[in-house]
Amino acid sequence: MLHAVTDIDTSETLTERQKAVLDAALRLLVEEGDQLTMTAVARRASCSKETLYKWFGDRDGLLTATVQWQASKVRVVPVDRKGLDLASLTASLERFASDWLKVISSDTSIALNRVAVGHASSGKDDLGAIVLENGRFALARRLKPVLEAGKEAGFLEFSDAETAFRTFFGLVARDVQIRLLLGDRLELTDAAIGGDAVRATQQFLALYGAKTGPRGL
Amino acid sequence: MLHAVTDIDTSETLTERQKAVLDAALRLLVEEGDQLTMTAVARRASCSKETLYKWFGDRDGLLTATVQWQASKVRVVPVDRKGLDLASLTASLERFASDWLKVISSDTSIALNRVAVGHASSGKDDLGAIVLENGRFALARRLKPVLEAGKEAGFLEFSDAETAFRTFFGLVARDVQIRLLLGDRLELTDAAIGGDAVRATQQFLALYGAKTGPRGL
DNA sequence: TCAATAGCGTACCGTACGTTACGGTTCGTA
DNA sequence: TACGAACCGTAACGTACGGTACGCTATTGA
């Protein structure tokens, strides 16, 4: 049976025990990738397979619930739109860049993205859509207001926020995610991430910083 | 048995029949993703499974050979380093950007990357390394001489070619590859690719164009 | 003409794993 | 205390698929 994958607030309908089971599945997913078995999940979570099937329908349902569960855990605090100056705008952008690099280089993100990519080939479920929705698109939703605010305040110049966002995205992520997904060793230290965040932000400001505003390039 | 994956010129040691079989496997990989079966490959290629095992050892060997076979087909012409002016440099960069976007949005590339990502979780083989070596790293090897030439000629300014390359890579690819791998519909028309190539090149020149050279930003 | 080899098609084997079934245990409730 | 629901642990079932064996055909070479 297919369970609805469009549910957003699954975190509300899950019991503590179910969350614990999904956490176990998540840990197993990080350790073993997509070849995790129902038996392994049951053993790790100290629950019976019958319970897994009752709760999640089938293997795909469990995978979907696991991905949604992880997604629900990374709800972020909205950015405060208070007094906006160039320094705070820069700090916000660097914060976004740093956070994003930390996310995509985390074991959890890598494992989840790998599973979702693997499932995208045979479009049985929407794992890819879920990951995308809670990753790249969620980032855009959170960042665009900041960009718009920067534009309003005269610090940024762009006609299309989507294009500006994608440029920022490219400057931040570059080849990191695809390399990690393909198994490239690429340990990102906190220092390296911080440096990359600063560099990406500076490059973005160089491209989209207003020449006529309170402060130009 | 594990077959060596470091062989580069496998195209030389393959018979025509073997190439035809690998082409069939490749087509099947594009159509069905990683869940292609040995039986399906044998049927599509009109050969026996016994032959597949004799030639390629096991399923992973067949996959590896298929990826290498595709990689060997995309040998590119080296860039001519003739008279370099800003126009030809710009044209070269746009060409690289356009070619790369075409590659990463092709069905073949998407299928191969998906398989390689899936296999990267359990590091049994080096599919990820092969794809990376013939994709992102091959691009860097071909592009860096162009960047260096642009620097020599005074059109570009950078201290580290690798960093400059990765910035270019990010400006070109942005979120395209991960979205496609995750199953996002995102049809890239030739016109869109051309436009993106121009935009990425202009942005790169804005960031790395020499302010003191024959022509500044 | 006659092996001999390569390769096609297919049947077969063993195993891994998704899925189901069932006995036993805990726990909440009357 | 009795009952039932939920759940654990495990055994069992069915199937898909990787891998192997074998018979048959065709081509090659002496």
Side-chain angles (χ1 to χ4, degrees), chain B residues 94-119:
Chain B
E94 288 176 358
R95 182 83 198 291
F96 272 101
S98 172
D99 284 352
W100 184 242
L101 283 172
K102 282 192 189 112
V103 165
I104 66 176
S105 63
S106 70
D107 286 345
T108 304
S109 166
I110 293 173
L112 254 39
N113 274 276
R114 280 182 180 157
V115 172
V117 165
H119 279 235

Short mmCIF file of all heavy atoms in Angstrom, two decimals, chain B residues 94-119:
data_model
loop_
_atom_site.label_atom_id
_atom_site.label_comp_id
_atom_site.label_asym_id
_atom_site.label_seq_id
_atom_site.Cartn_x
_atom_site.Cartn_y
_atom_site.Cartn_z
N GLU B 94 32.51 29.94 -22.58
CA GLU B 94 31.10 29.68 -22.87
C GLU B 94 30.93 28.28 -23.44
O GLU B 94 29.96 27.58 -23.15
CB GLU B 94 30.57 30.72 -23.86
CG GLU B 94 30.39 32.10 -23.23
CD GLU B 94 29.96 33.14 -24.26
OE1 GLU B 94 29.85 32.78 -25.46
OE2 GLU B 94 29.76 34.31 -23.86
N ARG B 95 31.89 27.87 -24.25
CA ARG B 95 31.83 26.53 -24.84
C ARG B 95 31.92 25.46 -23.75
O ARG B 95 31.14 24.52 -23.72
CB ARG B 95 32.99 26.40 -25.83
CG ARG B 95 33.03 25.08 -26.57
CD ARG B 95 32.09 25.11 -27.76
NE ARG B 95 31.81 23.75 -28.22
CZ ARG B 95 32.71 22.98 -28.82
NH1 ARG B 95 33.93 23.45 -29.06
NH2 ARG B 95 32.41 21.76 -29.19
N PHE B 96 32.86 25.66 -22.83
CA PHE B 96 32.98 24.70 -21.73
C PHE B 96 31.69 24.65 -20.91
O PHE B 96 31.20 23.57 -20.58
CB PHE B 96 34.15 25.10 -20.81
CG PHE B 96 35.46 24.52 -21.24
CD1 PHE B 96 36.38 25.30 -21.93
CD2 PHE B 96 35.78 23.21 -20.95
CE1 PHE B 96 37.60 24.76 -22.34
CE2 PHE B 96 37.00 22.66 -21.33
CZ PHE B 96 37.90 23.45 -22.03
N ALA B 97 31.16 25.81 -20.61
CA ALA B 97 29.94 25.86 -19.81
C ALA B 97 28.80 25.16 -20.53
O ALA B 97 28.07 24.34 -19.95
CB ALA B 97 29.58 27.31 -19.52
N SER B 98 28.66 25.47 -21.78
CA SER B 98 27.57 24.88 -22.55
C SER B 98 27.74 23.36 -22.66
O SER B 98 26.78 22.59 -22.44
CB SER B 98 27.55 25.51 -23.95
OG SER B 98 26.64 24.84 -24.78
N ASP B 99 28.95 22.92 -22.97
CA ASP B 99 29.20 21.48 -23.07
C ASP B 99 28.90 20.78 -21.75
O ASP B 99 28.29 19.71 -21.73
CB ASP B 99 30.66 21.22 -23.47
CG ASP B 99 30.90 21.50 -24.94
OD1 ASP B 99 29.90 21.73 -25.65
OD2 ASP B 99 32.06 21.50 -25.38
N TRP B 100 29.34 21.38 -20.67
CA TRP B 100 29.16 20.73 -19.38
C TRP B 100 27.68 20.64 -19.01
O TRP B 100 27.22 19.59 -18.53
CB TRP B 100 29.93 21.50 -18.30
CG TRP B 100 29.87 20.84 -16.95
CD1 TRP B 100 29.33 21.34 -15.82
CD2 TRP B 100 30.38 19.54 -16.62
NE1 TRP B 100 29.46 20.45 -14.78
CE2 TRP B 100 30.10 19.33 -15.25
CE3 TRP B 100 31.03 18.54 -17.34
CZ2 TRP B 100 30.45 18.16 -14.59
CZ3 TRP B 100 31.38 17.37 -16.68
CH2 TRP B 100 31.09 17.19 -15.33
N LEU B 101 26.95 21.70 -19.28
CA LEU B 101 25.51 21.66 -18.99
C LEU B 101 24.83 20.60 -19.84
O LEU B 101 23.92 19.89 -19.37
CB LEU B 101 24.88 23.03 -19.25
CG LEU B 101 25.15 24.07 -18.16
CD1 LEU B 101 24.67 25.45 -18.59
CD2 LEU B 101 24.47 23.65 -16.85
N LYS B 102 25.25 20.48 -21.08
CA LYS B 102 24.65 19.44 -21.93
C LYS B 102 24.96 18.06 -21.38
O LYS B 102 24.10 17.17 -21.38
CB LYS B 102 25.19 19.57 -23.37
CG LYS B 102 24.53 20.68 -24.18
CD LYS B 102 24.89 20.57 -25.66
CE LYS B 102 24.41 21.79 -26.42
NZ LYS B 102 25.53 22.64 -26.92
N VAL B 103 26.19 17.88 -20.93
CA VAL B 103 26.57 16.57 -20.40
C VAL B 103 25.75 16.21 -19.17
O VAL B 103 25.10 15.16 -19.12
CB VAL B 103 28.08 16.53 -20.05
CG1 VAL B 103 28.40 15.32 -19.19
CG2 VAL B 103 28.91 16.49 -21.33
N ILE B 104 25.75 17.10 -18.18
CA ILE B 104 25.12 16.73 -16.92
C ILE B 104 23.61 16.65 -17.03
O ILE B 104 22.96 16.07 -16.18
CB ILE B 104 25.49 17.70 -15.77
CG1 ILE B 104 24.95 19.09 -16.01
CG2 ILE B 104 26.98 17.72 -15.54
CD1 ILE B 104 25.21 20.04 -14.86
N SER B 105 23.04 17.20 -18.09
CA SER B 105 21.59 17.09 -18.25
C SER B 105 21.20 15.97 -19.20
O SER B 105 20.00 15.79 -19.46
CB SER B 105 21.01 18.42 -18.74
OG SER B 105 21.52 18.73 -20.02
N SER B 106 22.16 15.24 -19.68
CA SER B 106 21.84 14.14 -20.60
C SER B 106 21.35 12.92 -19.83
O SER B 106 21.74 12.69 -18.68
CB SER B 106 23.08 13.76 -21.41
OG SER B 106 24.04 13.14 -20.59
N ASP B 107 20.49 12.18 -20.47
CA ASP B 107 19.97 10.97 -19.83
C ASP B 107 21.09 10.03 -19.42
O ASP B 107 21.06 9.43 -18.34
CB ASP B 107 19.02 10.24 -20.80
CG ASP B 107 17.70 10.96 -20.92
OD1 ASP B 107 17.43 11.83 -20.08
OD2 ASP B 107 16.95 10.66 -21.85
N THR B 108 22.07 9.89 -20.28
CA THR B 108 23.17 8.97 -19.99
C THR B 108 23.92 9.39 -18.73
O THR B 108 24.16 8.57 -17.85
CB THR B 108 24.14 8.92 -21.18
OG1 THR B 108 23.40 8.55 -22.34
CG2 THR B 108 25.23 7.91 -20.92
N SER B 109 24.27 10.65 -18.67
CA SER B 109 25.00 11.12 -17.50
C SER B 109 24.18 10.95 -16.24
O SER B 109 24.70 10.51 -15.20
CB SER B 109 25.37 12.59 -17.67
OG SER B 109 25.79 13.14 -16.44
N ILE B 110 22.91 11.27 -16.30
CA ILE B 110 22.07 11.14 -15.12
C ILE B 110 22.02 9.69 -14.66
O ILE B 110 22.20 9.39 -13.47
CB ILE B 110 20.66 11.68 -15.41
CG1 ILE B 110 20.71 13.18 -15.64
CG2 ILE B 110 19.70 11.36 -14.27
CD1 ILE B 110 19.39 13.78 -16.10
N ALA B 111 21.82 8.79 -15.60
CA ALA B 111 21.74 7.37 -15.24
C ALA B 111 23.06 6.89 -14.64
O ALA B 111 23.08 6.22 -13.61
CB ALA B 111 21.38 6.54 -16.47
N LEU B 112 24.16 7.25 -15.28
CA LEU B 112 25.47 6.80 -14.79
C LEU B 112 25.77 7.38 -13.41
O LEU B 112 26.26 6.67 -12.52
CB LEU B 112 26.56 7.23 -15.79
CG LEU B 112 27.16 6.13 -16.66
CD1 LEU B 112 26.10 5.13 -17.10
CD2 LEU B 112 27.85 6.72 -17.88
N ASN B 113 25.49 8.63 -13.24
CA ASN B 113 25.75 9.24 -11.93
C ASN B 113 24.88 8.61 -10.85
O ASN B 113 25.33 8.41 -9.73
CB ASN B 113 25.51 10.76 -12.00
CG ASN B 113 26.74 11.51 -12.47
OD1 ASN B 113 27.62 11.83 -11.69
ND2 ASN B 113 26.83 11.76 -13.77
N ARG B 114 23.63 8.30 -11.20
CA ARG B 114 22.77 7.67 -10.21
C ARG B 114 23.31 6.32 -9.78
O ARG B 114 23.36 5.99 -8.59
CB ARG B 114 21.35 7.51 -10.78
CG ARG B 114 20.54 8.79 -10.71
CD ARG B 114 19.14 8.56 -11.24
NE ARG B 114 18.37 9.80 -11.17
CZ ARG B 114 17.31 10.06 -11.93
NH1 ARG B 114 16.90 9.18 -12.84
NH2 ARG B 114 16.65 11.19 -11.79
N VAL B 115 23.73 5.55 -10.74
CA VAL B 115 24.29 4.24 -10.40
C VAL B 115 25.54 4.39 -9.55
O VAL B 115 25.71 3.71 -8.53
CB VAL B 115 24.62 3.45 -11.68
CG1 VAL B 115 25.37 2.18 -11.35
CG2 VAL B 115 23.34 3.12 -12.43
N ALA B 116 26.39 5.31 -9.95
CA ALA B 116 27.64 5.50 -9.22
C ALA B 116 27.38 6.00 -7.81
O ALA B 116 28.02 5.55 -6.84
CB ALA B 116 28.55 6.47 -9.97
N VAL B 117 26.43 6.89 -7.65
CA VAL B 117 26.09 7.39 -6.31
C VAL B 117 25.56 6.25 -5.45
O VAL B 117 25.94 6.10 -4.28
CB VAL B 117 25.05 8.52 -6.41
CG1 VAL B 117 24.42 8.79 -5.04
CG2 VAL B 117 25.69 9.79 -6.93
N GLY B 118 24.70 5.43 -6.06
CA GLY B 118 24.16 4.31 -5.32
C GLY B 118 25.23 3.36 -4.84
O GLY B 118 25.15 2.82 -3.74
N HIS B 119 26.24 3.15 -5.66
CA HIS B 119 27.30 2.23 -5.30
C HIS B 119 28.32 2.84 -4.35
O HIS B 119 29.11 2.12 -3.75
CB HIS B 119 28.01 1.73 -6.56
CG HIS B 119 27.28 0.62 -7.23
ND1 HIS B 119 27.83 -0.58 -7.52
CD2 HIS B 119 25.99 0.54 -7.65
CE1 HIS B 119 26.94 -1.36 -8.11
NE2 HIS B 119 25.83 -0.70 -8.21
#
